[in-house]
Amino acid sequence: MAPSLTASDEPVVERSAHRDGNVLRWVGAYTASMVGDGVYYLALSWAAVQQGTPAEAGVVMTVSAVPRALLMLGGGVIVDRLGPRRVVIGSDALRCAAVLAVAALLFLVHPGLWLLALLALVFGAVDAVFLPAVGALPARLTGKGQLARVQGMRGLAVRAANVVGAPLGGLAVATGGAAAAFAVAGLLIAVSLPLLVTLRVAKPPLDEAADAAERRPTPWRDLADGLGYVRRHPVLAPLMLAIALGDLGFVGPLNVGLTLLADERGWGAAGMGWILAAFGAGAGAVSLLLAVRGRVPHAGLVAGAAIIAGSVAIGALAHVPSVAGAVGAALAVGLLAGLSGALCGALLQTQSDRAFLGRVSAVSGLVSLGLAPLSMPVSAAAVQLWGTGPVFVVSAAVCALGGAVALAVPALRRAELPG
């Protein structure tokens, strides 16, 4: 028997996401939190460089990745046990308190790199629960038919945060140093809290609530059940593989290879800035399209085709002769990667049982934030050995494999987003 809806589910299902004040409050909270993150990372890098050597600053900037990767799967279990709204509120409150505490200490004393490293560790540990909760929360705010639109709105929030966060952080550093920038970051994260508290979250369907009442006795069993659910799912299992391959082929060239390519071609910082701007414009345009349109038919097929086409654009980046050509290729990469990423995110949310969505989001986050960054040092070393051209081509081939998986598995290729 299909699960019956509770009264709290009905308004969530009926409203269009872009006209739903509940969803808009979440988007506002998410945007404020992401802008705060942008300011925080700039403040952390500036403070680390000022108080240590470049090598020490690099360690501080990467130390948060360790607890995030190690604890992410456990974070998904916590989200499914406690509910994503509660976890997001608690996570943002902890992040806010930690950043403001460091800002206060920096105003009063000069504690050294240990404080910055501790803050980075705390941020990474909190991210391990925050990121799965952010992935699971939209399904509690709106109906499945609106989740593609929510993905577009979330993408716009990320682009806005990228545009605003770094300049705002730079202004804060120029005005009052790293302490002022940390204070601004903390206040921005604090803006999200009252918005999150006012969110209306749908209750689970009756059979899902009954399952929660008979929850497996240990978190380890919850984790095993979640991994088994992903592994056995006809759409989620190949989708995770497609995301992993796509990210492995995408992250290295765009984060490390592009800098080396611009230096090799003599395009300079200005040329690289135009290329990055074109990528951001393409991704932002796709997010806007999804936010307005709300649905893309044949989502699995389109996602796979977009991954393959995007891989061709990635390979072309290393072979265009001019900045103008690279800008055009980067625009295509942004459009196609933004489209495939948004569709994959929407499919993850719509194909997952809500009781498992925190754990599904954790697996996806681990793939993107745990595995994909490993390609960056590998790409840098490979460019030194063989040059940018071969490395971009190999990366494009790896990315294309992700699209091939999406097209080769019938269940994923035929997957649709709810209307």
Side-chain angles (χ1 to χ4, degrees):
M1 178 183 294
S4 60
L5 293 175
T6 66
S8 59
D9 287 303
E10 293 175 3
V12 174
V13 175
E14 295 296 329
R15 281 189 158 182
S16 296
H18 63 299
R19 296 189 179 97
D20 188 343
N22 200 41
V23 173
L24 293 176
R25 284 194 298 275
W26 175 78
V27 172
Y30 182 72
T31 303
S33 185
M34 290 300 98
V35 174
D37 273 8
V39 176
Y40 157 76
Y41 282 112
L42 189 143
L44 184 67
S45 64
W46 179 265
V49 168
Q50 293 298 305
Q51 298 191 34
T53 65
E56 290 170 335
V59 171
V60 170
M61 291 302 296
T62 57
V63 72
S64 63
V66 176
R68 184 169 56 219
L70 292 177
L71 302 175
M72 182 80 76
L73 294 178
V77 172
I78 293 173
V79 171
D80 285 336
R81 280 179 166 251
L82 300 181
R85 176 179 173 272
R86 188 181 303 175
V87 172
V88 169
I89 292 172
S91 300
D92 262 353
L94 283 173
R95 283 148 43 97
C96 175
V99 174
L100 289 178
V102 169
L105 285 173
L106 289 177
F107 271 121
L108 299 173
V109 295
H110 296 281
L113 282 173
W114 70 267
L115 178 67
L116 301 177
L118 178 61
L119 176 64
L121 282 171
V122 170
F123 239 74
V126 176
D127 273 351
V129 292
F130 174 76
L131 294 173
V134 167
L137 187 55
R140 298 289 191 191
L141 301 175
T142 187
K144 286 192 173 185
Q146 297 298 318
L147 288 176
R149 179 169 278 131
V150 172
Q151 282 295 112
M153 296 165 74
R154 182 178 174 184
L156 287 174
V158 170
R159 296 301 155 196
N162 290 340
V163 170
V164 175
L168 184 58
L171 179 61
V173 167
T175 303
F182 278 125
V184 171
L187 292 174
L188 283 165
I189 296 173
V191 170
S192 70
L193 294 174
L195 295 171
L196 291 170
V197 168
T198 60
L199 291 180
R200 293 176 289 102
V201 181
K203 295 179 182 178
L206 295 179
D207 62 343
E208 186 180 322
D211 177 69
E214 300 171 359
R215 182 74 66 178
R216 278 77 57 192
T218 67
W220 289 110
R221 182 63 185 273
D222 271 358
L223 177 58
D225 287 349
L227 294 175
Y229 172 77
V230 173
R231 186 179 66 252
R232 294 187 297 269
H233 199 284
V235 173
L236 294 180
L239 182 58
M240 291 294 184
L241 179 58
I243 291 172
L245 291 169
D247 283 350
L248 281 171
F250 172 82
V251 170
L254 267 296
N255 286 275
V256 176
L258 187 58
T259 302
L260 299 174
L261 178 65
D263 180 66
E264 178 184 289
R265 299 291 177 86
W267 293 340
M272 190 173 70
W274 280 109
I275 295 169
L276 290 174
F279 170 79
V286 167
S287 295
L288 180 60
L289 174 65
L290 281 175
V292 172
R293 182 177 176 84
R295 183 176 179 270
V296 174
H298 311 296
L301 178 64
V302 172
I307 293 173
I308 292 176
S311 70
V312 174
I314 290 173
L317 265 174
H319 295 87
V320 292
S322 64
V323 173
V327 166
L331 180 64
V333 173
L335 286 167
L336 294 163
L339 178 60
S340 61
L343 291 177
C344 287
L347 285 170
L348 281 175
Q349 293 184 347
T350 56
Q351 293 288 326
S352 301
D353 188 306
R354 287 194 305 182
F356 290 94
L357 197 46
R359 283 162 285 179
V360 171
S361 298
V363 174
S364 174
L366 183 61
V367 166
S368 297
L369 298 173
L371 293 178
L374 297 177
S375 66
M376 290 192 284
V378 174
S379 295
V383 167
Q384 289 183 336
L385 289 174
W386 298 297
T388 54
V391 172
F392 269 71
V393 169
V394 171
S395 297
V398 173
C399 187
L401 283 176
V405 168
L407 297 180
V409 178
L412 177 53
R413 184 177 68 248
R414 297 170 185 157
E416 292 279 5
L417 296 175

